[in-house]
Amino acid sequence: MASLATTAPIIDSSPPDYATRLRRARLGLLVALTPVIMLFVSFSSAYVVRQGLPTLDPRTNQLVRDWIPITLPRLLLINTAVLILSSLFMELARRQVKGQVASVSLAAHPGVTAGDQVRMPWLSITTILGLTFLFGQWTAWRQLAANGFYLATTPSSSFVYLLTGTHAIHLMGGVLALFFAGIASLLRRSVATRSIVLDVTAWYWHFMAALWIYILCLLEFAS
């Protein structure tokens, strides 16, 4: 009597390794940043086009150009330096945790010991500098208001508040990610998990710094 042997497929339920998790996290970040890029591209196009568009003056019933260039507060240059410095410390934090991952991997081999890791407060410094940048932006908005330029004063002032305010909102998301990375460290999560969280946060932070430099150049030179 013939017997029928059946074999069940073997399903690999083991968790993905560090490189796979890191690659997936970076891909997710890239997907999340795509609509942000599209948003600021549309804002930039509208900013450039609006400068040359005339509007109808209801008093004279004629087309006039109402675009009044705004002198940006010099404080924005200081804010830019603060954000660039925070991006530098963010990169130091990312590389430090990545070095810890490499040390743990070496320690897993017989006869190899990992050296003592010197913990530097790069993440805390980045968070403080990020909050300092946001406070500086709020101070710059107050300076604009003191000079008579509010959100709805002129089309140019509207775009200044729109571009800088939208960037500040997205940077707040980066600050929240920094707090999350700090909590993951306090809760003693695995080195691999902390490294992935910090890596994604760092690349988002670098993107915010580069985006701010682009916005500042757009407001300063595309007039």
Side-chain angles (χ1 to χ4, degrees):
M1 183 176 179
S3 61
L4 180 62
T6 59
T7 58
I10 299 177
I11 301 177
D12 186 9
S13 59
S14 60
D17 58 2
Y18 170 76
T20 302
R21 293 172 59 193
L22 181 61
R23 185 167 56 252
R24 291 176 180 176
R26 288 178 175 177
L27 179 60
L29 175 65
L30 180 61
V31 173
L33 289 180
T34 300
V36 179
I37 296 175
M38 296 176 62
L39 176 65
F40 280 94
V41 167
S42 62
F43 284 168
S44 302
S45 301
Y47 176 79
V48 174
V49 172
R50 180 59 182 86
Q51 295 184 50
L53 289 180
T55 57
L56 182 64
D57 189 350
R59 295 173 298 179
T60 61
N61 201 26
Q62 294 180 351
L63 293 176
V64 296
R65 298 188 181 277
D66 58 350
W67 188 269
I68 302 176
I70 295 180
T71 301
L72 299 176
R74 294 302 175 186
L75 179 59
L76 293 181
L77 296 178
I78 300 178
N79 295 345
T80 303
V82 170
L83 190 57
I84 293 175
L85 187 61
S86 70
S87 185
L88 173 61
F89 284 117
M90 185 76 252
E91 181 63 19
L92 291 175
R94 186 185 75 87
R95 296 191 178 190
Q96 182 184 37
V97 177
K98 195 171 183 179
Q100 293 177 2
V101 174
S103 298
V104 171
S105 300
L106 287 175
H109 294 79
V112 179
T113 59
D116 296 334
Q117 293 293 331
V118 180
R119 295 189 176 183
M120 301 299 291
W122 306 131
L123 190 62
S124 301
I125 296 176
T126 303
T127 305
I128 294 174
L129 290 176
L131 294 174
T132 302
F133 174 82
L134 292 175
F135 177 77
Q137 295 294 85
W138 178 73
T139 305
W141 295 333
R142 292 191 61 183
Q143 291 181 3
L144 286 174
N147 293 331
F149 292 103
Y150 297 92
L151 178 61
T153 302
T154 64
S156 55
S157 64
S158 299
F159 273 101
V160 170
Y161 283 101
L162 176 65
L163 289 168
T164 58
T166 306
H167 175 269
I169 292 175
H170 285 86
L171 191 74
M172 288 179 187
V175 172
L176 293 178
L178 289 174
F179 280 115
F180 180 78
I183 293 175
S185 179
L186 292 176
L187 294 179
R188 300 292 183 178
R189 300 297 185 186
S190 65
V191 177
T193 299
R194 286 187 281 121
S195 176
I196 292 172
V197 171
L198 202 59
D199 184 271
V200 174
T201 304
W203 286 115
Y204 180 83
W205 197 263
H206 296 334
F207 173 78
M208 285 293 109
L211 180 61
W212 169 249
I213 294 175
Y214 165 76
I215 292 174
L216 188 62
C217 292
L218 178 70
L219 295 175
E220 186 70 28
F221 301 112
S223 300

